[in-house]
Amino acid sequence: MDQRYQRQVIMPDIGEQGQEALLGAKVLVVGTGGLGSSILSYLAAAGVGHIEFLDEDTVSVSNLNRQILHGNPDIGKKKVESALETLNRLNPTLHYEAHELRFTRENGRELIKGMDYVVDASDNFETKFLVNDLCIEEKIPCTIGGVVRWDGQLLSVIPGKCACYRCVFTDIPEPGVMKSPSELGIIGVSAGLVGILMATEAIKHVLLFPNDDRLINHMLMVDLRSWNFTKVEVKRNPSCTACSACK
Ligand SMILES: [Zn+2]
């Protein structure tokens, strides 16, 4: 076993078997921005063997307060290109696939097919609902989260087995109802922390941790300003348009 993972392999609930599971896992991360930066870094550091990610944007200087996969020399570069370079520097022993595109209804299904887990690191509700809906249709577990200012939240979905993102939020908010981080602002530590929590969910899934130890039927709300971390129980909606028919 690679010495790189020695500190986690000696943990009784990981061991060589758990590390083999991580090295054999395929995870897709939707977005390489603030959330994606910490999700991808920690999945790579932990040795998730096959990591795919996508983004259509290029790096701009206003990204750099939070998108730590990218640095000053990367301004103007494609984010997927810069992300790939950083991840290869962190852990060159893994298989990475970078897709320079936006997650859409047309390409999303093909992107998630064959994955063991999907992590939504997008910055908009449209993509979050789409990731949720396609993951339910393809029966692929996922974690969906979001951040703004000092606040974040996340939940995980095992299709047909627990509440989904749409059970909780129903539909994309009307334009103007929910403002985005570009309007309200965001501090990098919020994206960094919530991204780490989301990566933890993916790792726990691969390690077959019990649902009670995960954010299944629960949403974790974090407030970095007041230090309130609240785990809220969420319930499946029997008439959810995404998951009510999913068994
Ligand atoms: Zn649902």
Side-chain angles (χ1 to χ4, degrees), residues 49-69:
H50 179 114
I51 299 176
E52 295 197 27
F53 51 93
L54 60 106
D55 210 304
E56 56 162 4
D57 288 340
T58 52
V59 179
S60 69
V61 69
S62 68
N63 298 147
L64 301 185
N65 79 322
R66 63 198 186 283
Q67 304 189 9
I68 58 164
L69 277 178

Side-chain angles (χ1 to χ4, degrees), residues 34 65-66 147-151 181 184-193 224-225:
N65 79 322
R66 63 198 186 283
V147 272
V148 68
R149 292 184 173 167
W150 299 94
D151 299 307
L184 293 174
I186 174 140
I187 177 105
V189 285
S190 302
L193 174 72
L224 280 80
R225 204 184 142 101

Side-chain angles (χ1 to χ4, degrees), residues 20-123:
E20 290 297 346
L22 288 168
L23 288 165
K26 294 182 171 186
V27 176
L28 172 74
V29 179
V30 179
T32 65
L35 290 171
S37 284
S38 70
I39 296 165
L40 284 162
S41 299
Y42 281 93
L43 292 181
V48 169
H50 179 114
I51 299 176
E52 295 197 27
F53 51 93
L54 60 106
D55 210 304
E56 56 162 4
D57 288 340
T58 52
V59 179
S60 69
V61 69
S62 68
N63 298 147
L64 301 185
N65 79 322
R66 63 198 186 283
Q67 304 189 9
I68 58 164
L69 277 178
H70 321 293
N72 222 56
D74 303 314
I75 292 168
K77 249 190 223 171
K78 293 286 175 195
K79 283 189 183 173
V80 285
E81 212 176 285
S82 155
L84 188 59
E85 285 171 14
T86 307
L87 294 171
N88 267 316
R89 214 161 35 234
L90 178 61
N91 188 348
T93 69
L94 308 172
H95 178 80
Y96 302 108
E97 261 180 59
H99 306 274
E100 190 198 327
L101 40 81
R102 185 184 176 84
F103 191 87
T104 64
R105 186 161 286 285
E106 289 67 43
N107 64 26
R109 195 180 304 279
E110 282 311 307
L111 286 163
I112 66 173
K113 263 188 189 168
M115 290 293 139
D116 296 310
Y117 207 81
V118 175
V119 188
D120 160 74
S122 69
D123 60 356

Side-chain angles (χ1 to χ4, degrees), residues 132 136 162-167 236-237 240 242-244:
N132 178 74
I136 285 165
C162 67
C164 80
Y165 190 76
R166 204 177 273 284
C167 287
R236 224 175 151 184
N237 172 4
C240 172
C243 78
S244 57

Side-chain angles (χ1 to χ4, degrees), residues 172-224:
I172 300 169
E174 292 294 319
V177 173
M178 294 286 278
K179 291 202 165 86
S180 68
S182 62
E183 296 165 285
L184 293 174
I186 174 140
I187 177 105
V189 285
S190 302
L193 174 72
V194 174
I196 287 175
L197 300 174
M198 294 173 82
T200 309
E201 277 293 284
I203 289 168
K204 284 179 166 182
H205 177 83
V206 174
L207 294 175
L208 306 175
F209 275 35
N211 286 356
D212 285 350
D213 290 344
R214 302 203 33 220
L215 295 172
I216 305 299
N217 283 322
H218 287 85
M219 174 172 288
L220 182 64
M221 328 262 290
V222 302
D223 177 345
L224 280 80

